[in-house]
């Protein structure tokens, strides 16, 4: 049932500071600016604007009035804040923040601004409506880091230093990367198909503990696959500090930040590697530190990152370059610490900067339009608090973003201990509190949830070609067996119906052939489904790519799960024997020949 209630703003002039009033002076009044839609548990700003006489101090108070249908409690009752009209001006403002209790019903509410001016009573009022509504039907998953402070030694018996997985709309978070896998984990990013995350972490066994803090020089890049529960360290110990990893749109490459002694620009450069950790290559070489690289959708043609000197706190600018490391371009440089860029879509980049420097150092989220080269602040920010680490959210519409904020919450026992992940709608300013996500619930230490990433997919699935090794040599025109393994959410993926396609010289491509389910296998801890099919290879020699993919669409948006493409070489006739075969058979053949030449004895 919907309800109707009223928020009242009282503007009271302080009698001791008011000059004598004449009819020629400005008649004092108060208004309320737009109030965004909010979900239960979220926080609304109540921006009160006072019009009055210059050099006069007024006091503004806010309260919530109970109604017959909703037993609301008062907030800020009896409290007030001063608003002084500056000289040569007639306007001042103050904003109150109010957290909507989680038990409030959906409905339309009214903020009423009432002005009292002694000796007169109510000389006018202004009403502004706003909406409280339950969270939309969010779907998908959010991965995020939890920590007490950056690189702090994790507190025992807590989720400090872990990566959590939250399934929308309101599941209990699940620890996916904990202390049994790495010493400390940060910055998770989903693969495009939602099957994996890359993140930075300190490996087990390295001497990174320096007491209250960890040695960040030991950070390395890891890949965790939800489908088969596999964890792979992609960068090696001793290769320097590796962090800020992010997937390419096709999921086959990873861009990351590397810092190592003896390399040009050793204080932090952008590097690129293949999904399996091979092919590591440095892209940038200038001396300034570079961080948080992110590929541009949909093709990954460009990379955005932020760069700046460590000695100047406001010398952080945002740059783009091609994915090969050329065409460096400084696109955002406002002298107010512009950091953490992330492509929202092909034409929009989300980033964080100070509200204003040096007056207001609260972090705020902006978006940059690539085509028009202009920036604008997002309406989901809340004055007086830090809003940062924005990440794109593609459902149920493209107006949603995720972010972290230290704004108040509906959590009286652990209120405002640290940053918490929220969802916001930039089309109507709505901000949605996510139930159960606050890491401070039942925590003995203050924790932050930051560095969020989103996938619209509720399943994690994986395919792998197991017939041949990468780069294998096969006979053109021969019949071979193509076999693949399939995993889903840490178990076997039955009903996958994968197809195989061969692509070869000149762009030729075979018709898709569906593989047949032949049963289940296991590596001891995780089971998988096996799919197989005999096919006839093309008769033309050359380099070919074997691609296997399957559609995933149950209880999630339909999308393709693809195996890492397998590249093979087709040759005419019998392929040359491997060198080890020659080494093994050569002496045996010589021995047989010599024995045949020996004279026979009677």
């Amino acid at each position: 049932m919907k309800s109707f209630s009223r928020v009242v703003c009282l503007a009271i002039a302080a009698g001791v500071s008011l000059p004598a009033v004449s009819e020629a002076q400005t008649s004092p009044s108060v208004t309320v600016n737009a109030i965004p839609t909010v979900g239960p548990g979220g926080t609304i700003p109540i921006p009160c604007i006072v019009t009055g006489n210059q050099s006069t101090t007024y006091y503004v108070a806010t309260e919530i009035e109970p109604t017959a249908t909703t037993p609301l409690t008062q907030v800020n009752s009896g409290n007030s804040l001063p608003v002084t009209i500056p000289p040569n001006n007639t306007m001042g403002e103050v904003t109150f923040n109010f957290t909507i209790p989680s038990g409030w019903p959906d409905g339309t509410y009214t903020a009423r601004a009432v002005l009292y001016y002694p000796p007169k009573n109510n000389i006018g009022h202004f009403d502004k409506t706003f909406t409280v509504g339950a969270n939309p039907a969010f779907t998908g998953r959010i991965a995020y880091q939890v920590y007490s402070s950056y690189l702090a030694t994790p507190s025992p018996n807590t989720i400090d230093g872990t990566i959590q997985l939250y399934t929308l709309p309101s599941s209990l978070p699940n620890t996916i990367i904990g202390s049994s896998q790495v010493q400390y984990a940060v910055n998770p990013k989903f693969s495009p198909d939602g099957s994996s995350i890359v993140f930075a972490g300190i490996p087990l066994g390295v001497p990174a503990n320096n007491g209250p803090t960890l040695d960040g020089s030991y950070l390395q890049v890891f890949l965790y696959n939800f489908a088969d529960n596999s964890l792979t360290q992609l960068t090696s110990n001793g290769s320097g500090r590796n962090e800020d990893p992010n997937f390419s749109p096709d999921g086959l490459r990873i861009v990351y930040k590397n810092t190592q002694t003896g390399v040009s620009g050793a204080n932090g450069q952008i590097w690129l590697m293949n999904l399996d950790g091979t092919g590591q290559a440095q892209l940038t070489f200038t001396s300034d530190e570079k961080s948080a690289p992110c590929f541009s959708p949909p093709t990954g043609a460009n990379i955005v990152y932020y760069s700046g000197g460590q000695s100047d706190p406001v010398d952080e600018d945002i740059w783009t370059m091609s994915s090969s490391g050329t065409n460096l371009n400084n696109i955002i440089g406002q002298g107010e610490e512009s950091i953490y860029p992330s492509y929202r879509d092909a034409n929009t980049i989300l980033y964080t900067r100070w509200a204003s420097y040096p007056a207001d150092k609260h972090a705020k989220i902006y978006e940059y339009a690539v085509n028009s080269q202009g920036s604008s602040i997002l309406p989901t920010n809340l004055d007086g608090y830090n809003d940062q680490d924005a990440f794109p959210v593609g459902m149920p519409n493209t107006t949603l973003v995720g972010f972290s904020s230290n704004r108040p919450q509906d959590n009286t026992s652990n209120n405002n201990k640290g940053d918490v992940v929220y969802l916001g709608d930039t089309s109507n300013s709505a901000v949605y509190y996510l139930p159960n996500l606050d890491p401070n619930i039942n925590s003995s230490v203050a924790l932050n949830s930051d560095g969020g990433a989103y996938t619209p997919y509720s399943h994690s699935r994986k395919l792998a070609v197991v017939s041949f090794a990468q780069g294998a040599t096969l006979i053109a025109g021969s019949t071979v067996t193509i076999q693949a393994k399939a995993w889903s959410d840490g178990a076997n993926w039955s009903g996958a119906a994968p197809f195989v396609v061969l692509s070869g010289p000149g762009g030729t491509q075979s018709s898709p052939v569906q593989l047949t389910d032949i049963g289940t296998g296991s590596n001891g801890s995780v089971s998988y489904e096996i799919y197989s099919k005999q096919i006839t290879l093309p008769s033309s020699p050359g380099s070919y790519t074997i691609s296997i993919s399957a559609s995933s669409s149950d209880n999630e948006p339909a999308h393709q799960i693809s195996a890492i493409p397998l590249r093979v070489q087709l040759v005419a006739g019998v392929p040359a024997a491997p060198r080890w075969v020659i080494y093994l058979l050569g002496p045996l053949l010589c021995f047989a020949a010599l024995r045949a030449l020996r004279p026979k004895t009677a």
Side-chain angles (χ1 to χ4, degrees):
M1 182 180 68
K2 290 189 174 183
S3 67
F4 180 86
S5 187
R6 179 173 296 163
V7 180
V8 178
C9 294
L10 302 177
I12 306 171
V16 295
S17 59
L18 292 179
V21 178
S22 68
E23 295 299 325
Q25 290 183 302
T26 301
S27 298
S29 64
V30 63
T31 59
V32 177
N33 281 349
I35 300 174
T37 299
V38 67
T43 302
I44 57 168
I46 306 172
C48 298
I49 309 300
V50 176
T51 301
N53 299 306
Q54 62 175 321
S55 302
T56 301
T57 299
Y58 297 88
Y59 284 82
V60 178
T62 60
E63 66 179 19
I64 307 297
E65 285 194 338
T67 67
T69 56
T70 309
L72 307 180
T73 58
Q74 291 187 338
V75 59
N76 289 336
S77 178
N79 297 327
S80 58
L81 294 175
V83 178
T84 300
I85 307 298
N88 303 316
N89 206 328
T90 58
M91 185 175 295
E93 60 182 288
V94 66
T95 298
F96 290 86
N97 297 311
F98 176 65
T99 301
I100 303 297
S102 57
W104 277 25
D106 297 353
T108 300
Y109 294 75
T110 296
R112 168 165 286 188
V114 180
L115 175 65
Y116 289 88
Y117 186 81
K120 300 178 181 178
N121 290 322
N122 187 345
I123 60 173
H125 67 271
F126 186 91
D127 290 347
K128 176 65 68 173
T129 60
F130 65 96
T131 302
V132 172
N135 292 357
F138 296 135
T139 59
R141 293 173 294 169
I142 296 174
Y144 57 95
Q145 65 196 39
V146 172
Y147 61 98
S148 53
S149 62
Y150 187 64
L151 286 176
T153 300
S155 301
N157 304 315
T158 71
I159 58 173
D160 191 6
T162 68
I163 292 176
Q164 301 288 309
L165 184 68
Y166 182 87
T167 301
L168 294 161
S170 59
S171 73
L172 291 173
N174 178 39
T175 300
I176 52 175
I177 302 296
S179 58
S180 63
Q181 296 149 301
V182 296
Q183 296 186 58
Y184 181 87
V186 290
N187 302 329
K189 292 293 185 290
F190 274 107
S191 61
D193 63 6
S195 65
S196 307
I197 59 168
V198 285
F199 66 95
I202 297 178
L204 296 176
V206 300
N209 195 322
N210 287 338
T213 61
L214 297 171
D215 186 347
S217 66
Y218 289 100
L219 282 168
Q220 301 298 331
V221 174
F222 290 81
L223 172 72
Y224 178 74
N225 194 294
F226 296 93
D228 61 3
N229 294 335
S230 60
L231 178 65
T232 306
Q233 183 176 331
L234 300 180
T235 55
S236 59
N237 298 344
S239 65
R241 174 174 176 155
N242 297 285
E243 56 191 318
D244 293 350
N246 214 331
F247 284 99
S248 61
D250 62 6
L252 298 178
R253 296 176 296 166
I254 296 170
V255 66
Y256 63 103
K257 172 185 177 180
N258 170 272
T259 304
Q260 58 179 301
T261 304
V263 174
S264 176
N267 62 333
Q269 298 299 322
I270 306 302
W271 285 58
L272 188 66
M273 63 180 164
N274 296 323
L275 183 62
D276 61 0
T278 62
Q280 296 178 11
Q282 185 174 349
L283 299 182
T284 61
F285 297 88
T286 55
S287 60
D288 51 316
E289 182 181 15
K290 303 163 189 68
S291 304
C294 176
F295 279 101
S296 64
T299 63
N302 295 308
I303 293 172
V304 66
Y305 61 93
Y306 77 87
S307 176
Q310 294 176 324
S311 60
D312 186 346
V314 298
D315 186 22
E316 300 282 358
D317 302 330
I318 292 178
W319 293 65
T320 59
M321 65 178 175
S322 72
S323 59
S324 62
T326 61
N327 301 323
L328 277 67
N329 183 27
N330 182 197
I331 60 171
I332 303 171
Q334 302 175 0
E336 293 177 340
E337 197 175 45
S338 299
I339 55 178
Y340 303 142
S342 176
Y343 275 97
R344 186 176 186 180
D345 53 49
N347 187 48
T348 310
I349 297 172
L350 300 169
Y351 68 99
T352 300
R353 52 161 279 198
W354 283 335
S356 62
Y357 180 81
D360 187 351
K361 294 183 181 180
H362 287 104
K364 297 300 166 193
I365 301 169
Y366 284 72
E367 63 179 6
Y368 173 83
V370 175
N371 291 339
S372 63
Q373 300 181 7
S375 292
S376 58
I377 190 169
L378 294 190
T380 50
N381 290 292
L382 185 62
D383 288 344
Y385 296 93
N386 291 319
D387 299 303
Q388 56 194 350
D389 281 359
F391 57 94
V393 177
M395 64 79 218
N397 54 61
T398 57
T399 62
L400 286 174
V401 295
F403 64 96
S404 297
S405 177
N406 65 346
R407 64 184 62 195
Q409 307 164 46
D410 182 28
N411 180 3
T412 56
S413 61
N414 295 286
N415 194 22
N416 199 25
K417 278 190 174 181
D419 293 346
V420 176
V421 174
Y422 293 84
L423 295 183
D425 193 328
T426 57
S427 67
N428 59 14
S429 306
V431 173
Y432 301 104
Y433 167 77
L434 300 175
N436 306 317
L437 189 144
D438 180 5
N440 289 296
I441 298 175
N442 300 321
S443 174
S444 59
V445 297
L447 298 173
N448 300 278
S449 61
D450 277 325
Y454 169 80
T455 178
Y457 307 121
S458 55
H459 293 293
S460 293
R461 286 166 170 164
K462 176 182 177 180
L463 289 169
V465 185
V466 295
S467 309
F468 318 106
Q470 192 73 249
T473 300
L474 306 174
I475 303 174
S478 65
T479 299
V480 297
T481 298
I482 300 292
Q483 193 170 95
K485 295 179 181 179
W487 298 263
S488 177
D489 302 322
N492 57 300
W493 183 10
S494 61
F499 285 82
V500 60
V501 172
L502 273 73
S503 304
T508 58
Q509 181 170 301
S510 68
S511 299
V513 176
Q514 184 173 338
L515 305 185
T516 302
D517 192 337
I518 62 172
T520 301
S522 173
N523 64 1
S525 59
V526 178
S527 61
Y528 49 82
E529 204 75 10
I530 305 173
Y531 295 86
S532 182
K533 190 75 174 182
Q534 279 195 337
I535 64 170
T536 300
L537 296 174
S539 58
S540 299
S543 297
Y544 285 79
T545 299
I546 299 175
S547 302
I548 295 182
S549 60
S551 178
S552 179
S553 59
D554 49 318
N555 301 316
E556 64 182 7
H559 64 296
Q560 291 294 309
I561 303 296
S562 300
I564 295 177
L566 187 66
R567 292 173 176 81
V568 297
Q569 188 73 25
L570 301 191
V571 298
V574 179
R579 185 171 297 176
W580 68 267
V581 175
I582 296 175
Y583 288 160
L584 178 64
L585 295 182
L588 294 176
L589 292 173
C590 291
F591 175 77
L594 291 173
R595 184 171 184 178
L597 294 174
R598 287 173 52 189
K600 295 182 179 181
T601 57

